Amino acid sequence: MDTNAMTLHRGEVHIHLLSDGTSYWDGGGTFGLVPRARWAKVLPPDELNRVPQELRCVLIEADGKRILVDCGVGDKPNELIATQYDVRRPRGTLMDDLARRGIRPEQIDIVILTHLHGDHCGWATTWQKAAGRAGEAQAGAPTPAPTFPNARYYVQRREYEDATHPNERTRNTYFAENFVPLMQHGVLTLLDGETQITPSVRVALTPGHTAGHQSVVVEPEQRRASSARDRSGAPIFLIGDMAPFMIHFERLPWVTAYDVLPLVTIETKRRWQRWAYENDAVLISCHDTQQPVGRLVRNDKGLFSVIPLADGEETTR
Ligand SMILES: [Zn+2]
């Protein structure tokens, strides 16, 4: 199944799954303290102990806006990405995926970044030749600039502060050229917690993976107006790296080795697990290669699992 050609429809809202490729990196990083013998059954590693991770991005068309959530690793030369991320792109990049949908960079209105790790904000900027003012020494020299020239970018203030003050633990994944130029060009809005971005789209602070990590909730207006538990109007939840694979969302103690606040991640997941279950939410994963989309169910022992959407739900490929 090509997991990257799916579109979800909710009335006037359309949600397209896109990808910037598949990255292969160490399974120990993805599964943290979970013993290898257990995670290897869920996601078998290759001979170098690497597991495939989709670099999934999501395009939301809602309220007359085109909203991109996360933007892969990008194409700026970066030795760490080249050596550690091992990105394979048989279908091309995120930009190719947007082009296949007939969308040009200037048509993106809003970019929401769940957090600023290198695999989530790469295409936020690209190397571009500056117009340059007359007499300026650097006139015409390429610099990283916003890829989507008409977009406003959103990230949590806490995330931006942490990303611009990295320490020995975090600096291998925060690359300033991905986000500092957004601030320099005046296109970045720093958020303080939950924020309604458009009438149907809001962000919520979901700390743990990073202290300033945010997730995205798409809840078309008619759903909020109706009291009926109508499946076709259930909210859609872009989990982000709060739970990079669906198994992380099912099992509270499964937390990646990269989470800076793992105990906070568990409490964040506990809260959103309950919310997703009670609201019958459609879940979208950012890295899961096998199950990009699903819904949380609970068995008679009280254990949660994520199952595929029912046949006939409003999706197209
Ligand atoms: Zn990630």
Side-chain angles (χ1 to χ4, degrees):
M1 179 177 78
D2 182 358
T3 58
N4 290 306
M6 185 189 284
T7 298
L8 280 157
H9 306 283
R10 284 282 181 276
E12 299 295 296
V13 174
H14 308 285
I15 298 176
H16 310 276
L17 303 196
L18 309 173
S19 175
D20 196 32
T22 310
S23 172
Y24 290 74
W25 70 61
D26 193 85
T30 305
F31 294 106
L33 295 178
V34 179
R36 186 181 190 276
R38 293 191 60 199
W39 64 254
K41 281 187 204 144
V42 178
L43 193 64
D46 68 10
E47 67 284 0
L48 295 174
N49 203 45
R50 296 174 309 186
V51 293
Q53 316 219 35
E54 202 61 40
L55 298 170
R56 186 165 296 112
C57 314
V58 176
L59 176 70
I60 304 169
E61 295 181 281
D63 310 312
K65 303 283 184 199
R66 291 198 180 89
I67 304 164
L68 184 61
V69 180
D70 283 348
C71 46
V73 298
D75 73 342
K76 295 184 293 300
N78 181 312
E79 203 176 312
L80 272 169
I81 286 186
T83 55
Q84 288 181 8
Y85 285 62
D86 189 11
V87 178
R88 302 177 201 173
R89 287 166 157 161
R91 288 166 43 86
T93 69
L94 167 64
M95 305 313 278
D96 298 319
D97 237 359
L98 284 170
R100 265 192 290 274
R101 299 266 176 194
I103 292 172
R104 299 185 307 276
E106 57 270 28
Q107 292 176 301
I108 299 291
D109 302 294
I110 293 170
V111 179
I112 298 173
L113 302 169
T114 58
H115 61 303
L116 295 173
H117 283 170
D119 55 326
H120 292 260
C121 61
W123 283 107
T125 64
T126 37
W127 284 96
Q128 293 167 32
K129 268 212 166 112
R133 271 162 278 172
E136 223 175 285
Q138 291 295 305
T143 52
T147 305
F148 306 100
N150 300 316
R152 177 132 294 271
Y153 292 68
Y154 293 92
V155 73
Q156 291 287 323
R157 182 184 310 278
R158 175 67 197 266
E159 180 66 14
Y160 189 79
E161 280 169 9
D162 287 349
T164 47
H165 300 86
N167 60 27
E168 291 76 3
R169 165 87 190 270
T170 62
R171 69 182 169 211
N172 279 358
T173 186
Y174 282 137
F175 309 121
E177 68 270 25
N178 285 340
F179 44 82
V180 171
L182 304 176
M183 191 58 100
Q184 290 165 342
H185 285 255
V187 299
L188 183 62
T189 297
L190 301 180
L191 304 172
D192 295 296
E194 178 158 327
T195 306
Q196 198 75 41
I197 303 291
T198 72
S200 306
V201 178
R202 68 184 157 100
V203 295
L205 191 62
T206 48
H209 184 67
T210 65
H213 184 280
Q214 62 184 357
S215 302
V216 179
V217 180
V218 185
E219 211 164 9
E221 276 185 297
Q222 69 268 25
R223 147 92 181 179
R224 292 205 300 274
S226 111
S227 56
R229 192 179 161 90
D230 171 14
R231 223 174 203 202
S232 68
I236 294 164
F237 187 48
L238 282 64
I239 308 170
D241 265 345
M242 178 220 297
F245 285 72
M246 292 302 193
I247 187 110
H248 293 95
F249 199 65
E250 295 169 354
R251 301 183 189 181
L252 296 182
W254 287 44
V255 173
T256 81
Y258 309 115
D259 286 42
V260 293
L261 303 167
L263 301 183
V264 174
T265 302
I266 290 174
E267 295 313 314
T268 298
K269 290 200 294 181
R270 192 192 310 281
R271 205 161 57 241
W272 284 94
Q273 226 186 24
R274 190 184 312 139
W275 175 89
Y277 181 67
E278 287 174 356
N279 288 281
D280 214 18
V282 171
L283 307 169
I284 299 181
S285 159
C286 63
H287 291 311
D288 201 317
T289 43
Q290 297 165 344
Q291 209 176 0
V293 172
R295 181 174 260 127
L296 203 61
V297 295
R298 199 170 200 177
N299 70 13
D300 45 16
K301 289 184 192 142
L303 295 175
F304 286 110
S305 59
V306 175
I307 59 163
L309 299 187
D311 277 353
E313 280 209 56
E314 293 187 19
T315 59
T316 50
R317 291 183 192 286

